Amino acid sequence: MTAKTILITGASSGIGAALARAYAVPGNRLMLWGRNEERLNALAEQCRARGAELEIVRFDLADFSQLLDNLGASDTRNPIDLAIFNAGLGGSLPRDRVAQDVHAAQRMVNVNFTAPVLGANLLAERMAKRGQGRIVFVGSVAASFPLPMAPVYAGTKAGLALFAEAFQLRLEKYGVDVTLVSPGFVDTPMSRSLSEPRPFLIGADAAAAIITRKIERGARHIVVPWQFAVIRALVNMVPGVIMRTVLTQLSRLPFGE
Ligand SMILES: NC(=O)c1ccc[n+]([C@@H]2O[C@H](COP(=O)([O-])OP(=O)(O)OC[C@H]3O[C@@H](n4cnc5c(N)ncnc54)[C@H](OP(=O)(O)O)[C@@H]3O)[C@@H](O)[C@H]2O)c1
């Protein structure tokens, strides 16, 4: 792997922290973004011990002017080769609610969709001028399913997936690559908070090893664990009416009650 300047959002936990550890090698400069000071500092110590150079920036990604200012300033200081927009907010709808609380829905849309889309647009202009760079979006396999238990989450990830695909086509001629990562269930605080079962669960470090290896090979879409790529392909063959019935029944099961 050639030395790189790598930005990771949501580095203070789960998949983002595991990606930071995976990229923490001598010669790499890591820009780790998140909010939780304690977890970011502990991670920074681990990454420095592995020989990486470190820069930590703490702020709320839903503050879009801070996001754009920080991104512009970081990229001017050290041009970013690889930007991983990983931060996200998850969670299923509480059973006693009809729909999502509007403030919670707004935060989810801001963090899962708007922040990566704004950040990627700003960075793509700069990377295109340099004629190189890779932008990675961490979406979800939830993008492929109209989940009644998490409609806002599924919607933000579906929007992000389509944006990533369109951006990929658009940026190709400028030498900028785009990768979409679609995790299934990865063992992190986010998935641990779900009451539903977590089939084919994979550890965060194992997922990060697969993701970094495939990014290095230039993959455009990474589904991890792989079983979810098979499930997605099979589900695409199922008639819509059957899919809707199954998902409706699933959302009525009393998981965790
Ligand atoms: N785990 C899974 O099974 C799974 C499955 C599908 C997709 N994904 C996706 O994978 C990505 C990482 O998830 P994870 O499982 O690693 O979750 P996680 O352990 O809960 O970590 C989420 C990260 O996002 C950051 N974040 C959330 N809101 C933020 C905000 N407003 N401003 C700045 N940072 C914010 C958190 O920072 P702080 O903690 O510092 O606030 C944290 O570092 C997400 O996009 C998620 O949707 C995960």
Side-chain angles (χ1 to χ4, degrees):
M1 181 166 69
T2 45
K4 287 192 183 92
T5 296
I6 301 165
L7 165 74
I8 303 173
T9 73
S12 53
S13 178
I15 297 172
L19 286 170
R21 284 190 291 273
Y23 280 118
V25 296
N28 276 357
R29 174 189 298 275
L30 304 183
M31 297 172 172
L32 305 181
W33 287 11
R35 290 177 303 182
N36 186 289
E37 187 171 16
E38 207 178 311
R39 279 188 268 118
L40 277 175
N41 286 341
L43 176 70
E45 219 168 281
Q46 287 177 26
C47 294
R48 270 197 204 98
R50 292 172 188 218
E53 279 183 55
L54 256 293
E55 183 182 307
I56 286 178
V57 187
R58 282 179 50 232
F59 69 102
D60 187 338
L61 283 168
D63 181 339
F64 302 133
S65 50
Q66 268 211 64
L67 162 66
L68 298 176
D69 287 351
N70 284 332
L71 194 53
S74 294
D75 187 65
T76 300
R77 269 195 309 277
N78 295 292
I80 296 167
D81 300 301
L82 170 63
I84 306 181
F85 291 100
N86 159 75
L89 284 174
S92 304
L93 259 176
R95 209 159 282 274
D96 58 352
R97 283 198 66 100
V98 174
Q100 194 118 31
D101 164 74
V102 290
H103 300 292
Q106 176 155 44
R107 287 197 62 71
M108 207 179 264
V109 172
N110 287 348
V111 176
N112 292 6
F113 181 76
T114 313
V117 168
L118 295 184
N121 273 286
L122 184 140
L123 212 47
E125 287 284 348
R126 288 165 164 254
M127 286 179 166
K129 283 198 185 106
R130 301 195 283 268
Q132 68 99 32
R134 178 176 295 274
I135 299 174
V136 175
F137 299 99
V138 179
S140 170
V141 292
S144 307
F145 307 101
L147 299 176
M149 56 293 253
V152 179
Y153 182 75
T156 59
K157 294 297 186 178
L160 189 66
L162 195 64
F163 171 73
E165 211 177 316
F167 219 37
Q168 209 167 62
L169 297 174
R170 174 147 196 101
L171 297 185
E172 219 164 29
K173 64 173 180 275
Y174 300 103
V176 181
D177 300 307
V178 175
T179 298
L180 172 68
V181 178
S182 301
F185 289 107
V186 181
D187 193 20
T188 68
M190 182 187 290
S191 72
R192 272 174 231 138
S193 71
L194 297 171
S195 52
E196 293 90 357
R198 298 181 294 164
F200 308 115
L201 184 71
I202 183 172
D205 287 309
I210 294 168
I211 294 167
T212 51
R213 194 173 64 240
K214 293 198 172 175
I215 287 176
E216 201 59 26
R217 288 185 195 152
R220 294 174 160 204
H221 189 193
I222 301 167
V223 182
V224 61
W226 62 267
Q227 287 90 339
F228 278 91
V230 178
I231 293 172
R232 232 171 42 115
L234 291 176
V235 164
N236 281 340
M237 293 190 269
V238 174
V241 61
I242 297 177
M243 194 60 215
R244 280 194 294 278
T245 308
V246 171
L247 284 170
T248 307
Q249 293 307 319
L250 270 179
S251 74
R252 288 182 186 148
L253 288 177
F255 293 122
E257 283 180 355

